[in-house]
DNA sequence: TACTTACCCTACCAAAAAAGTAGACTTATA
DNA sequence: TATAAGTCTACTTTTTTGGTAGGGTAAGTA
């Protein structure tokens, strides 16, 4: 399941996508409109900035804004960033891979099945963007 | 991600599927062979019994065994039981549905996308069984 | 240069979930 | 009736999640 943090992130990103290229938006505005705890949202937006999805301006007239076209920001990227692995097992994760102990990946039915699930999921999430949330 | 509990459950079920219709298997044997903490495994197997996937015999010569053909036990069923919802959001879950607050499901891009993901995942997990793990 | 606005950073806290443990109890079989 | 083996209740520990507090720092503006 997507964490609450992820759901907040998507709400905020949708809000910013609607205002793309219309200048910075205050954290406080997003928090109020989307009913997200202010300080929690600060952390999330900062993280998205560090990942180069958002950018910000300080001082009066400042705020957050999308760094690139909403149609260029993949869902898979955002989920990996705020929610973690997309795969159901570490041993089939592309970005968070960890080897299985006590199980040989070459002949493991579960492994193969989870690769199928991963690929089906990624086929969707790698081809959808913030644009599709609007 | 699948919890450790789920991974243990699948290891145990695979072990029992290999021994289908060959009599009861000791919890201790499964725990040892699959390197699962004994008491933790006890809880898992009991849960699977209550869900009518496994059955057991007490006393000497007892143990656990699959209640029906491995090919009849769907992956989706087991995952829902030991791991919880398969969908990425409560508002798109078939078996663990909860309504979204602050968001109208009728015009929510995320909602629609998560339904797609859910269906792609279920298409696989509803059509694979314990047989496929062997 | 001083003031104000608004993001930045570090640290902490509490609740919930996941993972694992303990021990007494019941039932079946030899 | 002794023993083997699952059943049940309850607890503990660790990790993750969700959230809070408060001061620091950069950028505009008068």
């Amino acid at each position: 399941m997507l964490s609450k943090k992820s759901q907040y992130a998507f709400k905020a990103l949708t809000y910013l996508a609607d205002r793309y290229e219309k200048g910075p938006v205050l954290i406080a505005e997003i928090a109020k409109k989307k009913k997200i705890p202010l300080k929690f949202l600060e952390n999330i937006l900062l993280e998205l900035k560090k990942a180069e999805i958002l950018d910000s301006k300080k001082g009066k007239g400042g705020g957050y804004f999308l760094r690139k076209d909403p149609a260029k920001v993949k869902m898979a990227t955002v989920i990996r960033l705020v929610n973690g692995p997309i795969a159901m097992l570490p041993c089939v994760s592309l970005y968070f891979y960890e080897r299985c102990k006590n199980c040989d990946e070459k002949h493991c039915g579960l492994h193969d099945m989870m690769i199928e699930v991963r690929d089906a999921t990624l086929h969707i999430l790698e081809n959808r963007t913030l644009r599709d949330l609007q």
Side-chain angles (χ1 to χ4, degrees), chain A:
Chain A
M1 298 279 265
L2 292 178
S3 63
K4 229 159 172 198
K5 181 181 169 190
S6 304
Q7 297 180 52
Y8 289 155
F10 281 120
K11 278 189 199 292
L13 286 169
T14 306
Y15 195 82
L16 290 172
D18 287 338
R19 284 151 191 79
Y20 180 57
E21 288 190 322
K22 289 181 184 161
V25 182
L26 294 184
I27 301 180
E29 180 186 337
I30 306 173
K32 192 176 181 193
K33 287 284 175 58
K34 294 295 187 176
K35 293 177 183 158
I36 303 170
L38 180 67
K39 294 298 257 176
F40 197 14
L41 180 58
E42 275 187 22
N43 296 332
I44 297 169
L45 296 183
L46 195 54
E47 202 176 332
L48 290 167
K49 177 183 173 172
K50 283 178 181 160
E52 307 195 331
I53 289 171
L54 297 180
D55 208 345
S56 66
K57 248 188 93 178
K58 287 187 178 181
K60 189 161 192 176
Y64 272 97
F65 49 94
L66 268 174
R67 203 175 157 117
K68 50 185 178 178
D69 193 308
K72 293 268 172 62
V73 183
K74 291 181 192 171
M75 290 299 290
T77 307
V78 179
I79 291 179
R80 285 188 185 110
L81 189 69
V82 293
N83 205 73
I86 290 171
M88 295 185 95
L89 289 177
C91 66
V92 302
S93 174
L94 296 173
Y95 287 74
F96 299 82
Y97 176 80
E98 278 174 55
R99 213 182 81 261
C100 273
K101 320 189 215 315
N102 324 327
C103 128
D104 178 2
E105 293 179 16
K106 288 276 176 287
H107 343 79
C108 173
L110 189 60
H111 181 90
D112 297 347
M113 204 179 295
M114 292 305 130
I115 284 185
E116 276 192 271
V117 172
R118 179 201 70 192
D119 288 343
T121 305
L122 286 184
H123 182 255
I124 298 166
L125 298 178
E126 292 283 11
N127 290 292
R128 297 291 186 289
T129 69
L130 295 184
R131 173 100 241 159
D132 300 303
L133 292 181
Q134 287 176 292

